[in-house]
Amino acid sequence: VQLQASGGGLVQAEGSLRLSCAASGRTFSSYITGWFRQAPGKEREFVAAISWSGRGTVYADAVKGRFTISRDNAKNTAYLQMNSLKPEDTAVYYCAAKQSFNDVMNQGSYDYWGQGTQVTVSS
């Protein structure tokens, strides 16, 4: 499956952005989708993941209550709605996919990755 992330940009603190992850090549509904991010000088970290149907979600503590992951299998797209953004959310955001909902926080368990999209939050 090929993944294309988009929707990044520059936003002020407390603002919002919605990232999209468009999939092609295979049945999108067969894959769980995860979002990860990498800030300058830091390791890539888990942000959120969503199950095949969308009924199951997992979030990193740092984004709980502010970010919402969702998906539209008819459009082969997953989303990450980011509200109340903070400067520390500044990073390159990546979407990824795999078939198992186990170990979703482990980036090494994902089989497919999209290119990143830059999110910059100014104070």
Side-chain angles (χ1 to χ4, degrees):
V1 62
Q2 291 79 44
L3 303 174
Q4 178 83 23
S6 62
L10 173 63
V11 64
Q12 289 188 332
E14 295 304 314
S16 298
L17 279 175
R18 188 176 80 157
L19 305 183
S20 298
C21 177
S24 62
R26 295 195 179 184
T27 306
F28 180 60
S29 58
S30 299
Y31 294 85
I32 73 105
T33 304
W35 285 96
F36 290 79
R37 67 186 182 185
Q38 187 167 21
K42 294 187 177 181
E43 293 186 354
R44 189 158 56 184
E45 64 178 5
F46 171 78
V47 176
I50 189 166
S51 66
W52 314 268
S53 65
R55 286 193 289 267
T57 56
V58 180
Y59 294 93
D61 288 343
V63 306
K64 279 180 182 176
R66 299 188 299 122
F67 291 11
T68 302
I69 190 171
S70 62
R71 66 190 297 156
D72 185 339
N73 287 337
K75 296 182 177 179
N76 288 344
T77 303
Y79 304 96
L80 185 68
Q81 177 67 43
M82 305 186 295
N83 298 330
S84 301
L85 282 161
K86 304 175 181 181
E88 51 264 44
D89 294 318
T90 295
V92 177
Y93 283 71
Y94 300 87
C95 62
K98 63 172 184 169
Q99 290 188 296
S100 169
F101 202 54
N102 294 328
D103 203 19
V104 297
M105 295 185 177
N106 179 7
Q107 59 178 303
S109 69
Y110 286 78
D111 300 308
Y112 305 97
W113 289 84
Q115 92 297 350
T117 185
Q118 176 71 47
V119 172
T120 303
V121 184
S122 63
S123 57

